[in-house]
Amino acid sequence: MRRTLFLMILTVIISLGGKVIAADDLKYVNAGQFKLIGKGYADSLDRYCRLPSVLKEKTRPAVWSLSRNCAGLAIRFHTNSPVIAAKWEVTGDVVMNHFAPSGIKGLDLYCYKDKKWQFVNAARPAAESPLL
C-alpha cells in the first residue's frame, strides 16, 4: 500500500480538444518542489511518511507500515496548462479484493475553485506496469 510520488503522466499520448500532445512534448516537474499538504509532522523519514521519525521504534510494525502510505497527502500547485499529466512509482504491489487498484495505487486530481475542492479526474495504474 505504500507508494512514493515522484513526477507527473497518465498516458503516452494525451488528446485535448482535437489537438494531440505527445508525452515527449510534456514538461515534467518534480513534485518535491511543490507544497505538500495534509501532513501532520515535518520530522519524518521521508517526504511522504505520515508519522514522525521518533515514533518508528515505538510504533507497532503494522502501524508504522501504514504510516508509509501517502493516503491523505496532497501536492499543491498552480498551472495554466490545458494538460496535466502524472508519473509516479509505487513501493509495493498491493492487491485487495475489496479495493479498486486506483484507490491503492492511483492518483486523484482536484482543483480549488470557488473556495472548495472539486474532483477533476483520477490517474489509474496500468496493470502491465512492473512498478504497480
Side-chain angles (χ1 to χ4, degrees):
M1 230 191 224
R2 300 176 304 162
R3 58 183 170 188
T4 302
L5 304 177
F6 280 165
L7 303 172
M8 300 185 152
I9 192 164
L10 298 178
T11 59
V12 174
I13 297 176
I14 297 173
S15 177
L16 178 70
K19 181 179 178 185
V20 176
I21 300 172
D24 292 343
D25 294 334
L26 296 172
K27 175 186 174 190
Y28 297 103
V29 180
N30 188 318
Q33 68 182 317
F34 296 122
K35 182 178 181 178
L36 183 66
I37 59 177
K39 186 171 178 174
Y41 307 94
D43 173 35
S44 60
L45 294 179
D46 62 55
R47 179 171 165 88
Y48 303 106
C49 185
R50 295 183 295 161
L51 288 178
S53 56
V54 297
L55 294 180
K56 183 175 182 184
E57 301 304 319
K58 300 174 184 176
T59 306
R60 291 185 301 122
V63 174
W64 183 257
S65 177
L66 289 174
S67 80
R68 309 285 293 160
N69 178 333
C70 65
L73 301 180
I75 297 167
R76 189 167 190 173
F77 62 94
H78 297 270
T79 184
N80 62 356
S81 175
V83 175
I84 297 175
K87 284 185 191 179
W88 70 99
E89 293 181 10
V90 297
T91 55
D93 186 17
V94 177
V95 177
M96 297 181 198
N97 63 0
H98 67 289
F99 210 94
S102 59
I104 300 170
K105 303 175 226 182
L107 302 175
D108 291 332
L109 177 64
Y110 287 82
C111 70
Y112 192 70
K113 185 177 179 182
D114 301 327
K115 298 184 180 184
K116 63 182 176 181
W117 289 103
Q118 298 177 2
F119 176 76
V120 175
N121 208 342
R124 293 164 182 86
E128 297 81 26
S129 172
L131 296 174
L132 303 176

